[in-house]
Amino acid sequence: MAFLRSVIHLLWMGITVVPYALTIMLGTLLGVRGLPLYRIARAWLSLCISGARTILGIRVEISGMEHLPQGDNAGAVLLVKHQSTFETFLMPTIMPHPLAYVFKKELLYVPFFGWAIGRLDMIHIDRSQRTQAFNKVVQQGKDLLAKGIWIIMFPEGTRIARGQKGQYKTGGTRLAIDTGAPVIPIAVTSAKVWPRKAFIKRPGVVDVSIGQPISSVGREPDELMREVEAWIEAEMRRLDPGAYPQAPAAPAADTTTQSGK
């Protein structure tokens, strides 16, 4: 049954992406830019998430929404635990501000999906040119944050298997420091139901926990990222304790006494 549901949901996404992507591309030809196109994309993502709930039985429980910065001009850099495609689709549907993803340029060549996101206010980079790529992230990031668009990044860089931890890279904290925006750490347990690179998805609950904003003012990128990493990984263990091996128990204290001859 899980296999059949997964096939149906994949077909659902594949069929519905076409009219939404074509609408976005047509809109750009007519001179439409910015928020209207984002709303079209978010409507399709909402369709995918509601389809996951109805077809796959995947529900979402969110905590910490009160931690998000308030106000139309409040900036933020979201640093999110990355376990599957699910949170990529989910985040724009729950956030009060438009989001701009930082993503590799290869995604632009994915039919319909890539063609559409290439016309949105997103930041696509060439990973082979690291210095130029980061300069582009900072330059575009400043412009987008000034428009009230939040930047979202996955600090581990790729999807990480359930119960595992990748290497947290400092691109997100460097951007936050350069722009003065706070960072928002977010833990997501999507791999419980939608594992990394798995075709078959299973019913269950995805927990999303939003941490309190962490100021980037006067911070160093490495030090700030260590704080983000510590919060996310501790929260992942709280939300999904079964995925993480228990620390070995400390050896019992030796209460015996020895007497020398």
Side-chain angles (χ1 to χ4, degrees):
M1 182 60 72
F3 176 80
L4 179 59
R5 288 182 174 185
S6 299
V7 170
I8 294 172
H9 187 252
L10 180 63
L11 291 173
W12 171 254
M13 292 194 298
I15 292 171
T16 56
V17 72
V18 175
Y20 282 89
L22 290 176
T23 301
I24 290 172
M25 290 186 284
L26 177 61
T28 59
L29 292 176
L30 297 176
V32 179
R33 297 289 186 272
L35 189 57
L37 299 182
Y38 179 85
R39 287 173 173 163
I40 296 170
R42 186 174 59 186
W44 177 72
L45 294 174
S46 297
L47 204 62
C48 294
I49 296 300
S50 62
R53 182 176 60 252
T54 304
I55 300 168
L56 301 174
I58 296 176
R59 296 181 293 109
V60 179
E61 293 187 359
I62 306 170
S63 61
M65 288 291 289
E66 68 277 8
H67 295 153
L68 293 173
Q70 303 297 312
D72 294 340
N73 297 321
V77 176
L78 309 183
L79 300 180
V80 184
K81 181 73 177 180
H82 197 16
Q83 290 193 324
S84 77
T85 304
F86 186 80
E87 59 268 13
T88 307
F89 286 13
L90 175 66
M91 288 300 154
T93 70
I94 66 174
M95 288 296 159
H97 280 241
L99 301 183
Y101 281 88
V102 178
F103 63 91
K104 58 185 180 181
K105 68 174 185 178
E106 287 79 7
L107 289 178
L108 296 173
Y109 308 121
V110 177
F112 296 104
F113 177 81
W115 303 340
I117 63 174
R119 289 162 171 79
L120 303 177
D121 284 331
M122 305 283 176
I123 306 172
H124 52 86
I125 59 173
D126 184 347
R127 288 183 174 179
S128 66
Q129 300 179 354
R130 298 184 63 179
T131 301
Q132 294 91 327
F134 180 70
N135 290 339
K136 181 178 181 180
V137 170
V138 172
Q139 180 181 357
Q140 289 190 236
K142 287 181 177 179
D143 293 340
L144 293 170
L145 286 166
K147 297 176 183 177
I149 297 172
W150 290 354
I151 310 300
I152 179 170
M153 299 178 71
F154 299 114
E156 292 164 289
T158 188
R159 291 168 291 178
I160 303 297
R162 184 183 179 196
Q164 302 296 313
K165 180 175 75 71
Q167 179 182 358
Y168 280 68
K169 303 174 180 64
T170 60
T173 52
R174 290 166 62 195
L175 171 63
I177 291 168
D178 283 357
T179 59
V183 297
I184 312 293
I186 301 176
V188 182
T189 64
S190 57
K192 290 192 297 183
V193 297
W194 189 315
R196 178 180 72 113
K197 298 182 180 179
F199 175 75
I200 298 178
K201 292 84 177 177
R202 302 189 182 281
V205 176
V206 174
D207 290 295
V208 178
S209 180
I210 303 169
Q212 295 188 19
I214 305 173
S215 175
S216 63
V217 178
R219 306 292 294 270
E220 293 295 328
D222 289 342
E223 173 254 341
L224 180 54
M225 184 54 76
R226 284 195 296 271
E227 182 175 347
V228 170
E229 177 182 351
W231 187 91
I232 290 177
E233 293 302 321
E235 191 68 357
M236 291 299 298
R237 283 161 173 77
R238 185 185 72 82
L239 295 172
D240 190 13
Y244 294 87
Q246 297 295 318
D254 186 357
T255 58
T256 62
T257 59
Q258 295 181 344
S259 59
K261 294 285 187 180

